[in-house]
Structures are given as C-alpha cells and as structure tokens.
C-alpha cells in the first residue's frame, strides 16, 4: 500500500520520512508526549530514525499502520496521527501534538480527515480511540472529533511494563454522515 497525502483547511497530512527525523526527535522530547504515549523514554535520535525510516514505511507497505504527520503549509511539524489495524474492518487511532501547537484544533482537524479516509478508502466500519485514564487532552480531541465514549477498560493497556486502566471510545462512519461499509444493527433493535 502506498502512503497517501491528505489536506485540510490548514494542514498537509503526509507520511513522515527521513527528512522529518530531526523534527520528530525534537517533538518527542516533550515530557507530556513521553508520559501519555508509547514512544520510548528517553527518546533518542535512533528512535526517531527508526520511526521515520522503518516503522512508518513498513506500516504503509503492509497496510498494518497508516501514519501521517501533521504539517503546516510551511512544512513545520505540528503532530502525528495514525490508524493501526486491529481486526478486519476495525482500527485504532492515535495522535500526539507538538507542545507549541496545542490548543489550536489541529489534531482534531487531522483526526477527522484521517477517519474519513479510513472509512471511505480502507473500508473500515469502526475506529477506536484508547488512552490511559486521566489523559484529558487526548480525550478532549477524541470527543471533539466525534468519538463516542464507551467506558473504562481495567488494565486495558500496558505502559512501560505497567498495566493501566484506559478509556475507550469509538467512531463509526455514520458519526461522520458516511455510509457504513457493512450493515450495523445496534443492540435492542
């Protein structure tokens, strides 16, 4: 599968490559990114190089993970988002934002664009968002993007060798006024 480039009103979403390694490394020095995401800590230059030169292209090549960097038209890195395939027709979305760009709605804008692409081009019927319980910033983005909270999963994720509770929410094509890839029959109907 070839990487795609998506555009929004304010962003260019494209697969990060070797030319973005330094910007990814700098962004991932942020304690909040290291605290709430699964990036290595400490985040070393070789981690950024492995991400931009191996993880991203390999994920696109085999279709298992579709990662897009969020860039301003000037080329400045704003953040990262991606969909990891979890089961047929379902994926999990993740994201982070460079500290100085938080609070401008960039990540919400990118998440909605990536979700629309995943539903229409990849044929997904469900996207999940998961975050460690307490990650209010991530939760706010998910809610603004239209994700519907489903609850808390006890010991639902592992972070640096420790099982932690996580919040889970979902987004369906119909939440974005898109037709479903397969019929959906909600409980009780």
């Amino acid at each position: 599968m070839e990487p795609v480039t998506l555009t929004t009103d304010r962003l260019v979403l494209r697969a990060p490559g070797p030319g973005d390694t330094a910007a990814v490394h700098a962004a991932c020095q942020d304690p909040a990114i290291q605290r709430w995401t699964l990036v290595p800590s400490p985040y070393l230059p070789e981690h950024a190089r492995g991400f931009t030169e191996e993880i991203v292209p390999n994920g696109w090549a085999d279709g298992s993970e579709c990662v897009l960097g969020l860039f301003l038209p000037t080329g400045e890195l704003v953040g990262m988002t991606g969909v990891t395939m979890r089961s047929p027709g379902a994926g999990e979305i993740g994201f982070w934002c460079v500290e100085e760009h938080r609070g401008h709605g960039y990540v919400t804008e990118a998440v909605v664009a990536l979700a629309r692409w995943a539903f229409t081009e990849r044929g997904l019927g469900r996207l999940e968002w998961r975050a460690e319980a307490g990650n209010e910033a991530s939760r706010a983005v998910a809610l603004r993007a239209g994700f519907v909270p489903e609850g808390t999963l006890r010991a639902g994720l592992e972070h640096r060798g420790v099982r932690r509770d996580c919040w889970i929410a979902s987004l369906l094509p119909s939440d974005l006024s898109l037709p479903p890839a397969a019929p959906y029959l909600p409980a009780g109907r």
Side-chain angles (χ1 to χ4, degrees), residues 100-179:
E100 57 266 24
H101 293 294
R102 292 182 190 140
H104 300 287
Y106 291 129
V107 177
T108 301
E109 188 175 313
V111 164
V112 170
L114 181 57
R116 285 185 173 284
W117 174 83
F119 291 141
T120 59
E121 300 301 319
R122 293 293 313 264
L124 297 188
R126 175 181 169 86
L127 275 177
E128 292 182 354
W129 160 86
R130 295 174 189 228
E132 184 178 330
N135 188 343
E136 296 291 346
S138 183
R139 180 181 172 96
V141 168
L143 293 176
R144 282 193 304 271
F147 282 76
V148 175
E150 295 181 341
T152 301
L153 301 175
R154 297 182 314 144
L157 60 80
E158 185 176 318
H159 190 220
R160 306 201 201 298
V162 177
R163 299 290 320 168
R164 299 172 187 262
D165 293 348
C166 76
W167 291 326
I168 185 170
S170 67
L171 188 71
L172 305 179
S174 59
D175 297 327
L176 297 179
S177 300
L178 297 170

Side-chain angles (χ1 to χ4, degrees), residues 17 31 40 44 48 74 91-92 106 111 125 179:
L44 305 174
T74 61
E92 181 178 334
Y106 291 129
V111 164

Side-chain angles (χ1 to χ4, degrees), residues 15-166:
D20 304 307
T21 300
V24 169
H25 177 257
C28 289
Q29 299 311 300
D30 178 6
I33 291 174
Q34 291 187 26
R35 164 63 182 93
W36 294 111
T37 72
L38 300 178
V39 302
S41 181
Y43 196 81
L44 305 174
E46 54 264 30
H47 295 129
R49 206 169 23 261
F51 178 72
T52 59
E53 295 178 13
E54 296 173 23
I55 293 172
V56 171
N58 291 346
W60 277 101
D62 67 16
S64 64
E65 188 170 22
C66 304
V67 175
L68 295 173
L70 289 57
F71 296 91
L72 295 176
T74 61
E76 184 178 355
L77 178 67
V78 169
M80 205 65 59
T81 188
V83 172
T84 302
M85 300 309 296
R86 293 293 181 214
S87 63
E92 181 178 334
I93 199 161
F95 45 83
W96 54 257
C97 187
V98 175
E99 185 175 16
E100 57 266 24
H101 293 294
R102 292 182 190 140
H104 300 287
Y106 291 129
V107 177
T108 301
E109 188 175 313
V111 164
V112 170
L114 181 57
R116 285 185 173 284
W117 174 83
F119 291 141
T120 59
E121 300 301 319
R122 293 293 313 264
L124 297 188
R126 175 181 169 86
L127 275 177
E128 292 182 354
W129 160 86
R130 295 174 189 228
E132 184 178 330
N135 188 343
E136 296 291 346
S138 183
R139 180 181 172 96
V141 168
L143 293 176
R144 282 193 304 271
F147 282 76
V148 175
E150 295 181 341
T152 301
L153 301 175
R154 297 182 314 144
L157 60 80
E158 185 176 318
H159 190 220
R160 306 201 201 298
V162 177
R163 299 290 320 168
R164 299 172 187 262
D165 293 348
C166 76

Side-chain angles (χ1 to χ4, degrees), residues 184-189:
Y184 166 52
L185 183 61
R189 292 192 188 187

